[in-house]
Amino acid sequence: MQRINVAEVAPQAYQAVLGLEKYVRANVGHTVLELVKLRASMLNGCAFCVDMHSRDALAAGESDRRLFAVAAWREAPFFDERERTALALTDAVTRLGEHGVPDDVWDAAAKVWPEKELADLLMAIATINVWNRIAVTCRTELPAEA
């Protein structure tokens, strides 16, 4: 059962996070954005967001096969270099440990993503992590029907 609806209880805070969401939607390519959202949501165990972003990606034409492979992206041959570096950065930022994002992960991303695009990608990863933490903590319920 859902604990709290942040949008109702703290609408200004919710709108601030929504502002980040609108920014990343306008500045990060849809395919990469959905892959990043799906991967972070998987790592964070956010059923609501896994459901939403997999449905959004399918509706936008993404293949089932690639979406299923996001769970094992390192071994799957379906992702190009930019997608792989975005997924690696997503893993590192989402699992942010004591030593932060490893240099090799950052350097690989910086090699294929221009600085502004890399900054926008980082904002996308940070934003989905905020949404995941809100949804998991609040126990946001999945819609009854897709």
Side-chain angles (χ1 to χ4, degrees):
M1 190 154 180
Q2 187 160 330
R3 291 176 169 164
I4 191 172
N5 184 328
V6 174
E8 291 176 3
V9 177
Q12 288 179 309
Y14 183 86
Q15 288 299 315
V17 179
L18 192 57
L20 286 171
E21 178 67 29
K22 289 176 182 176
Y23 176 86
V24 298
R25 283 183 191 172
N27 289 283
V28 177
H30 182 75
T31 299
V32 168
L33 183 58
E34 289 304 331
L35 293 175
V36 163
K37 287 179 177 184
L38 183 58
R39 180 62 181 169
S41 298
M42 288 175 171
L43 294 174
N44 288 322
C46 185
F48 180 85
C49 293
V50 167
D51 179 68
M52 176 176 32
H53 298 300
S54 59
R55 285 186 293 111
D56 288 351
L58 286 169
E62 185 60 81
S63 75
D64 301 17
R65 199 168 185 201
R66 276 176 39 103
L67 289 182
F68 296 144
V70 168
W73 68 266
R74 281 176 171 55
E75 289 78 30
F78 311 124
F79 306 103
D80 65 27
E81 185 177 18
R82 282 173 55 94
E83 292 168 338
R84 286 183 174 289
T85 60
L87 290 166
L89 189 60
T90 300
D91 284 5
V93 172
T94 300
R95 293 177 171 155
L96 195 60
E98 181 180 346
H99 302 290
V101 173
D103 288 339
D104 63 324
V105 172
W106 181 263
D107 293 345
K111 182 180 174 184
V112 298
W113 289 86
E115 190 171 41
K116 170 67 165 70
E117 290 181 29
L118 185 56
D120 291 340
L121 177 61
L122 178 57
M123 291 307 299
I125 296 166
T127 302
I128 188 56
N129 274 281
V130 169
W131 286 126
N132 288 164
R133 280 151 178 76
I134 292 168
V136 170
T137 302
C138 296
R139 295 186 180 156
T140 303
E141 297 175 351
L142 280 85
E145 293 183 30

